[in-house]
Amino acid sequence: MLALALGGANAVPAQSAPSALTPITGWGTNPTNLDLQAYVPSKLAAKPAIILALHYCGGSGPAYSQMTKYNSLADSKGFVVLYPGQKKDNNCWDVATTKTLTRDGGGDSTGLANIIKWAITKYNADPTKVFVTGSSSGCMMSNVMAATYPDLVAAVSCYSGVAAGCLAGSPGSSPQSADPTCANGKNVKTAAQWTATVKAMYPSYNGTYPRFLTWHGEADNFVHYANLAEQLKEWSGVLEVTFTKNNTNTPQSGYTQLVYGDGTKLVGYSARGVGHTVPVHEDADLKWFGI
């Protein structure tokens, strides 16, 4: 279900990081023993933005930093990039257990939230400019973070994942351990049902949820393309927006932009001929984040 995203015809070429990442320890309560590395540019903006970048299954924070251009963009724009790492279940983020699918439940989501809180203080960051992104397993976890910690996350842009709660109750979150129903695109719910799933993760929350952008390849049979529709149903319900229009060949030939509402809260991208995973579109991410 969760691909080793560096493999295959749609792999993203490795990028040269401008400089080494900094290993971070002592950032707070860490119930699932995550590790953390950060990229902090030499010229940090006043009240910088933070991007939490979540690796694919089988990956690591440093590996994800090498396959994206976020570090070089951080050099020019002065934001901080956080690269946490999960070492269990084939290095896949837990998106299945009650602990991680519950606000302050003691799962991976709790550890990631503590990383965000630590970083806001450490870097004197703008708490209204915290963003989450990721590929494959990292996109799945991005969905979960938007559901469990919506007050910490302003916006998400992620690639080739599944809706928050899609894997709930699965024995694991990796290709080797998971119930394949979700990855195969067969966990189908209505927008109302998905909304109830999200709201159950943080029942007392009455605030706004993150703006959501999600990308998926039409030729993805590993995390099936049908999961794009389920994500869009989920977040259209949560964000209370309905489908408006398609924009073809946007942002490039073969991609279709699916716009909900006025396009400021929810957008999807469908990539014709693209498998697992959709290449990272860093410039589009930063535009969505407002950086």
Side-chain angles (χ1 to χ4, degrees):
M1 170 194 41
L2 309 181
L4 306 186
L6 288 179
N10 297 297
V12 179
Q15 304 292 331
S16 297
S19 64
L21 301 178
T22 301
I24 305 292
T25 58
W27 43 263
T29 303
N30 185 8
T32 57
N33 196 31
L34 306 180
D35 60 27
L36 175 63
Q37 301 202 40
Y39 186 79
V40 183
S42 57
K43 294 182 179 180
L44 195 61
K47 303 292 287 185
I50 290 173
I51 294 179
L52 183 73
L54 303 175
H55 63 72
Y56 46 88
C57 214
S60 66
Y64 200 51
S65 79
Q66 286 291 314
M67 67 169 278
T68 69
K69 300 176 183 176
Y70 295 122
N71 295 354
S72 60
L73 290 166
D75 282 337
S76 63
K77 295 182 178 291
F79 58 84
V80 175
V81 193
L82 303 173
Y83 295 101
Q86 171 57 275
K87 300 179 289 294
K88 300 174 184 176
D89 196 9
N90 298 287
N91 294 26
C92 300
W93 299 103
D94 172 18
V95 293
T97 69
T98 300
K99 286 185 176 182
T100 200
L101 297 175
T102 304
R103 168 80 170 201
D104 298 334
D108 280 358
S109 60
T110 300
L112 294 172
N114 289 338
I115 288 172
I116 290 171
K117 294 172 186 176
W118 169 86
I120 290 170
T121 300
K122 172 68 176 179
Y123 302 111
N124 192 30
D126 185 340
T128 70
K129 294 182 179 179
V130 175
F131 310 106
V132 180
T133 190
S135 294
S136 192
S137 177
C139 183
M140 298 179 189
M141 195 68 217
S142 298
N143 276 264
V144 170
M145 289 303 294
T148 51
Y149 292 92
D151 52 326
L152 292 182
V153 180
V156 168
S157 176
C158 71
Y159 300 83
S160 308
V162 302
C166 185
L167 269 154
S170 171
S173 298
S174 73
Q176 294 81 5
S177 64
D179 179 332
T181 304
C182 173
N184 289 341
K186 297 188 182 301
N187 191 351
V188 177
K189 298 183 180 181
T190 66
Q193 288 171 327
W194 280 125
T195 299
T197 297
V198 168
K199 297 295 180 70
M201 297 184 197
Y202 188 5
S204 64
Y205 187 63
N206 292 314
T208 59
Y209 280 81
R211 296 179 287 108
F212 208 92
L213 176 63
T214 185
W215 310 67
H216 219 108
E218 294 179 15
D220 191 342
N221 291 313
F222 198 72
V223 177
H224 197 279
Y225 174 62
N227 282 297
L228 174 62
E230 298 310 303
Q231 287 181 83
L232 291 172
K233 281 192 286 183
E234 179 170 80
W235 294 107
S236 66
V238 172
L239 295 168
E240 299 181 342
V241 288
T242 56
F243 175 75
T244 304
K245 62 180 178 179
N246 286 337
N247 292 318
T248 57
N249 296 317
T250 304
Q252 67 193 66
S253 178
Y255 282 60
T256 298
Q257 182 189 55
L258 297 84
V259 179
Y260 286 72
D262 63 2
T264 61
K265 290 184 178 181
L266 178 63
V267 171
Y269 283 106
S270 176
R272 187 175 66 244
V274 176
H276 195 80
T277 61
V278 174
V280 177
H281 286 62
E282 297 91 345
D283 291 339
D285 292 345
L286 295 196
K287 183 178 180 181
W288 181 250
F289 296 157
I291 298 177

